Amino acid sequence: MNGAESLVRTLVAGGVDVCFANPGTSEMHFVAALDRVDGMRCVLGLFEGVVTGAADGYYRMKGTPASTLLHLGPGLANGLANLHNAKKANSGIVNIVGQHATYHIGYNAPLTSDIEGLARPMSSWVRTSPDATSVSADGAAAIVAAKSAPAQIATLILPADTAWNEADGIAQVPAESQRANYSSQAVDNAAKVLRAGGGETLLLMTGSALTEHGLALAAQIAGKTGCKVMGQTYNPRMARGKGRFAIDRIPYVIEQALPILKNFKNIVLVEANDPVAFFAYPNKPSMLKPQGCEVHRMTTGAENSVAALEALASALGAKPADRQPQKMVDIAKPTGALTHASIAQAIAMAIPENAIVVDESITTGRGFFPPTAAAAPHDWLQNMGGSIGFSTPVATGAAVACPDRKVICMVGDGSAMYTLQSLWTQAREGLNVVTIVFANKIYQILRGEFDGVGAGEPGQRALDMLKINRPDLDFVALAKGMGVPGRSVANADDFNKALAEAIAEPGPRLIEVQM
Amino acid sequence: MNGAESLVRTLVAGGVDVCFANPGTSEMHFVAALDRVDGMRCVLGLFEGVVTGAADGYYRMKGTPASTLLHLGPGLANGLANLHNAKKANSGIVNIVGQHATYHIGYNAPLTSDIEGLARPMSSWVRTSPDATSVSADGAAAIVAAKSAPAQIATLILPADTAWNEADGIAQVPAESQRANYSSQAVDNAAKVLRAGGGETLLLMTGSALTEHGLALAAQIAGKTGCKVMGQTYNPRMARGKGRFAIDRIPYVIEQALPILKNFKNIVLVEANDPVAFFAYPNKPSMLKPQGCEVHRMTTGAENSVAALEALASALGAKPADRQPQKMVDIAKPTGALTHASIAQAIAMAIPENAIVVDESITTGRGFFPPTAAAAPHDWLQNMGGSIGFSTPVATGAAVACPDRKVICMVGDGSAMYTLQSLWTQAREGLNVVTIVFANKIYQILRGEFDGVGAGEPGQRALDMLKINRPDLDFVALAKGMGVPGRSVANADDFNKALAEAIAEPGPRLIEVQM
């Protein structure tokens, strides 16, 4: 067997059995191996940003890495923005990037570039296979890196001759490294802080803590100690909906975040970062905690936060009975005009049980969290790296990971135009994704940021860089172009109806919400 | 004035008065400065690959750099593939990339990444401004770098506080560095080689040599010495059409290239590279010249190739009268079925005088060169870096550079799906671009490469990674979605008609050619 086949067999044996791919010439032996090796599902994307974002969504829902297949430096470059988002989400991905044959690199053919240099900023593990007999072991090492705790972006670069030359066979992937337990000392310290002043303490959680069980433990701790529990502004995945402990997130807008945090004397971090503004603004702080607030880390992304929360609850004597009832926002099908509030109500009513909600709704969705807390139970996925064009690929990968669940992808029109090619992959694979595009015809977030950074009121030339009307985008036509049925709605009744129909039907659908 | 305004004023004063932009929060002060500074045309793209590719096309037609405006590391990352292509084309571009405020970078907010690390592989000049008073001088240095010979990709990273803090004023851009003359010794050596064995010598030209005048000089030299004149497989820009000296290019397919080159004893390089295969293939050579063939460099991309050709013609006594008549392929409007040959004929007949042809036609266009040599005079632009998704942005930038010329963008369906957002910018700016999409529903080049790399005959799973049908793409719908009128044609008569209509109308049009 050649190097490429040894790699595909090693990946499958190592549990990496989905490959999101946009291959080129140097990857043809990998593609050819698919015909000989059973057990690898290869999913084609028409653009590499789709491929890498799909791998992120897959990891978030499956908890185990997929691979990507990318064509030399530029193919990797096209996928970097969503690798950035995936890296910030601690998602594990095995990137396979083709390269010229080792002896061809020095001739500086058109596609030659510094692939390792491109890979490093968005990867935690980078290696170039030197020869065909190394490929399977390198692949196994990439899998180990991708599955480490926290998970990593591992990028293996495969010169064409290492793919086509004879290999030795497949490599064993060592047993998975376990997520480290947790620091008892850190839990004891958190318990001490919470006992001393629960009401002045914020328990700030993200990552693996935000499962239904992790949140239930936090609810007990909050009930027992009076502490406040919040999530980060952005979280990779959060269990939400009816019956689950509903937490707020730190608002994106700094003027809203500061007053919420101003009275805390202590913050206990469960995987979360010491809260920092998304951007800097003149004469506003970067760090969001108040002066004198002490920050205590209980767990990192490498540790077992749910076990730590169990230990913390136990140390505090916090029991299920300590959980306090929460007041939910009332939800009902809206009528009349489409406003941010009525859109939120419609979505809260429509989310089906066990749905996966991918949220890139940006300004339109700033109020979505309270009403959807009362929706049917679901998982909520957010963009961890801030690079737009995240949601449609992540929704694609989540749907590949969970074919029996409905994926609701909520996206602003500006963001949707980054990686809209995802729709084609959804159509090809028959994925159960309902994409809701909020067509406000402007990068509305920038309209706010323009003021936020002290640039005043935009004039006509500046506004031209923020508005994306002239011409208006027609998302129903764009979806049709990629084989996805779509519908445009301009009032709440039509939106309710479109949501119900799209969710009832198998396969992808798109709804353009005219705002 | 703040740092951002000092930069915009420095750019305009330095002759960089077009900015292709996709800004975010950290770039809002640059955007705000547009309202206060006259003379900067800012063109919005919905994706950064459009932005950077447009800057490449602009440079190729204008010979002077545009700037881009990109949002932090991921925004730059999205533009890297077309910066790769631009770098390989020796196009000059001034990239302005936003960054977090200097004091905010260390807090690792979501969008934080190693921007310099991302920039370096595709830039020849990279700098981060340390403070607001440095920004204008850094901008001037970036312009100098972008305008050097050969031109460069210059990337200036602008932390947000260097944009909003007070600056000193604008910076003078030093006089442009002139393209170095040429080496008389290299010209003498080329003359000696051509005198000794013109019939066994290939004059291989690219870059600035491929103007109408440069080609005319080559025609004289060929007539006088019997040498063969060819272009590289890919060239940034070539003057072509009726009355101009028509040269062949080295074929992409290695089995076709080797026999064409096999009898040359000498190759004289005019800016061109020693010919190398685009990819390596098992048991085939990387270098295309035959054993024993000597390679003589006459000029590099930093030198004045037309002046060198004049000196060479003079040394050889080659006069206009020495130019030999060339036999052109007959062209006529085709009828009947659409084949590669009839498509080529239709395009050759339709190309209007002074058109700019951007060629990413890949396999469909392999035979386009001979018939279009008989078309009306035009410029022909190709992809120098091999990263697909090149043509629609380059066509956009070329149209911005040359509003009075018609741009014909020829693109395969697979390539078109990379950066199709270009159509929206074309619609917004009313650009005279006719995009012709060859919809063969497969990455046809890979079907050939699969065999070429020795992977044999693809089975069903492998074919699934090459074919882009299921579902079929509908490019007319996609164009409509972005405000560009489109038409689909399935026979030669309709294609002729669609071409004539699209070329006659102002503004962008799309033609989907069903194959």
Side-chain angles (χ1 to χ4, degrees), chain B residues 7 11 27 30 67-71 94-98 154 156 158:
Chain B
L7 177 61
L11 289 170
E27 296 77 52
F30 188 110
S67 76
T68 67
L69 184 62
L70 305 168
H71 187 46
V94 177
N95 294 312
I96 309 296
V97 184
L156 175 60
L158 212 62

Side-chain angles (χ1 to χ4, degrees), chain B residues 386-436:
Chain B
S387 179
I388 64 175
F390 136 92
S391 61
T392 62
V394 165
T396 304
V400 169
C402 302
D404 299 332
R405 301 176 66 171
K406 192 61 90 169
V407 180
I408 312 286
C409 174
M410 310 187 301
V411 59
D413 45 6
S415 297
M417 287 306 293
Y418 268 60
T419 45
L420 199 67
Q421 301 96 330
S422 308
L423 295 177
W424 182 84
T425 299
Q426 292 170 14
R428 161 172 276 219
E429 301 286 332
L431 302 177
N432 296 318
V433 181
V434 177
T435 299
I436 308 169

